[in-house]
Amino acid sequence: MLPFLHDSKDSQPASDQSAHAAAPVAEAHPLDALTGGAFSAATSGERAQRVRDWLATDPGPEDMQAVYKELSAKDRGAAKALRDRLEELRRAKAQDAMAEEWRVKGQALLDSERLHIADALAWQRDAAKAGAPLARPPLSEIRDRLTERVSVVEDLQQRVMVQREAAALLAQRIELLSTNAWSNASAQQSGLEADVARWHEQSQALTAD
C-alpha cells in the first residue's frame, strides 16, 4: 500500500507557519495619520498630492514644520509645497512685525503736539524703503492721516506767510503816514485802523487753528 501523501502546505512544520503568522507589520510613521497618509504613500506624486490636500486643511505652523523636517529627508519634491507655505508664513510674520514697528513710529508723529512736515515725509519715505506694507492697514491709515496733517500744516504756513506780508505792508503804511501832514494822516486813520483790526482778527484765527 502506498504511503499516505500529505499536502505540501500541511507538511510545513508548525514552527514555520507560526513564524509567517507572526511576521511584524511595518509601523506607520507617527505623522502619517496627521498628514492623511503622506508618509505611507507609494510614490512621490502621491505623497505630494496628500501633502497638498493636508495643507488645504490649514494646519498649524508647528505641525507643518515637524512634517517638513521629516518628509524633506525622505522626499524633497513632495516636501516642496510645505517649504513654500512655511516661507510664505515667515514672510508674512516679518511683514507684520515691520508693520507694527512703523505703525508705532507713525502714531508717535500723529500724537505729537507739533508735527514737522519733514518728519512726516521722512516716515513715509523710510517705511517704503524698508519694505513696510504701506498699501494695507494699519500703515495705509497712518499714511493717510499724516498726509492730511501735512496738508493742514502747509495751509497754515501759507496763511502765516500771508499775514506776515500783510503786517509788513501795514508797517509801511504807518511809516508813510507819519511823514504826511496831520490832516492827510487823520483822513487815512480810520481805514488803517480797520485794516489793522482785520489783521488782528485773522491772526487770532490762525492761533486758534
Side-chain angles (χ1 to χ4, degrees):
M1 179 181 293
L2 294 175
F4 185 78
L5 297 178
H6 295 282
D7 185 79
S8 60
K9 293 182 180 179
D10 295 337
S11 64
Q12 290 181 352
S15 59
D16 290 345
Q17 295 180 14
S18 61
H20 284 296
V25 178
E27 293 184 3
H29 193 283
L31 297 173
D32 195 54
L34 175 67
T35 57
F39 288 87
S40 60
T43 66
S44 179
E46 291 178 357
R47 282 190 288 273
Q49 183 59 52
R50 292 183 185 182
V51 166
R52 288 192 292 270
D53 292 342
W54 179 59
L55 289 176
T57 66
D58 197 21
E62 293 182 359
D63 287 341
M64 285 192 290
Q65 187 64 51
V67 171
Y68 175 73
K69 181 180 179 181
E70 293 293 325
L71 188 60
S72 60
K74 179 180 181 180
D75 188 340
R76 288 185 175 275
K80 183 179 183 301
L82 268 169
R83 182 187 63 197
D84 293 344
R85 177 68 67 85
L86 288 170
E87 284 296 327
E88 180 182 334
L89 289 176
R90 276 192 283 269
R91 287 194 297 269
K93 186 176 181 180
Q95 284 278 292
D96 289 343
M98 185 180 298
E100 177 61 17
E101 175 187 352
W102 287 99
R103 184 199 68 79
V104 171
K105 292 180 179 180
Q107 190 62 50
L109 291 174
L110 290 170
D111 293 340
S112 62
E113 293 184 0
R114 179 176 297 180
L115 176 66
H116 296 284
I117 294 177
D119 292 339
L121 296 178
W123 177 87
Q124 183 167 342
R125 181 194 65 234
D126 294 343
K129 186 176 180 180
L134 290 173
R136 61 182 176 86
L139 295 188
S140 61
E141 298 170 354
I142 296 288
R143 180 196 59 196
D144 292 345
R145 291 174 62 191
L146 282 173
T147 299
E148 183 179 353
R149 287 281 298 275
V150 166
S151 178
V152 170
V153 171
E154 288 177 338
D155 179 65
L156 283 173
Q157 288 180 340
Q158 180 63 29
R159 290 165 62 188
V160 167
M161 185 180 300
V162 171
Q163 284 298 98
R164 286 177 177 173
E165 292 175 354
L169 291 174
L170 286 174
Q172 290 178 7
R173 288 173 61 187
I174 293 172
E175 184 177 356
L176 287 174
L177 283 178
S178 66
T179 62
N180 290 346
W182 171 252
S183 58
N184 189 20
S186 179
Q188 299 183 43
Q189 181 179 357
S190 59
L192 180 59
E193 288 177 349
D195 290 341
V196 170
R198 189 179 304 109
W199 182 89
H200 276 292
E201 182 181 347
Q202 293 172 348
S203 297
Q204 290 295 328
L206 280 176
T207 304
D209 291 341

